Amino acid sequence: MLYNIILSLAFTILIEFTVSIFCGINKKIDLLYIILINILTNPSTELINLLIKDSSFHYPIIFTIEILIIIIESLFYKKVLKEEKINFLYLSIINNVCSYVIGVMFNLGGGI
């Protein structure tokens, strides 16, 4: 289980770091904050995902958690990022949708 959480965190950081650069985040401190915010939010999300993966309510719960994470991360972004030309809610949505979709594709391919 710990291996899955660490692997998920590493892939999420890689994906969201890359997506953030493509979205116009280029200050090193902002990219570091994005990494730190993911270290705060991703492990708990992945732990819940692993604990409920066989539940009939898996997808509604994960959807709800992802919405909460998008809101939480966008608030963190607004508070700490120095970039002023970025819509932080959109950045959070794009980052999380990309990492979720790539994660699902990776899992369907038998990666984890």
Side-chain angles (χ1 to χ4, degrees):
M1 184 183 312
L2 182 60
Y3 171 78
N4 287 353
I5 292 171
I6 293 170
L7 189 61
S8 172
L9 177 61
F11 275 116
T12 299
I13 288 172
L14 177 65
I15 293 163
E16 293 193 18
F17 182 89
T18 304
V19 170
S20 294
I21 291 171
F22 280 110
C23 287
I25 302 293
N26 55 20
K27 295 178 182 159
K28 290 179 185 178
I29 190 69
D30 287 347
L31 294 168
L32 177 61
Y33 281 134
I34 288 169
I35 291 170
L36 294 174
I37 290 167
N38 273 289
I39 290 170
L40 290 173
T41 59
N42 180 269
S44 58
T45 304
E46 186 59 26
L47 178 62
I48 293 168
N49 184 39
L50 291 171
L51 292 174
I52 65 164
K53 69 180 178 181
D54 295 326
S55 165
S56 60
F57 299 106
H58 178 258
Y59 289 109
I61 292 170
I62 291 301
F63 180 77
T64 303
I65 290 170
E66 288 292 335
I67 295 298
L68 290 172
I69 293 300
I70 286 169
I71 293 167
I72 290 166
E73 287 185 358
S74 69
L75 293 172
F76 274 126
Y77 291 164
K78 184 176 181 179
K79 184 77 174 167
V80 299
L81 297 186
K82 306 298 182 215
E83 182 61 52
E84 297 174 4
K85 297 178 183 175
I86 299 289
N87 182 312
F88 300 118
L89 180 59
Y90 290 160
L91 177 64
S92 183
I93 291 169
I94 292 167
N95 276 344
N96 283 281
V97 167
C98 287
S99 62
Y100 184 81
V101 168
I102 291 169
V104 167
M105 291 181 348
F106 186 75
N107 283 327
L108 290 177
I112 293 181

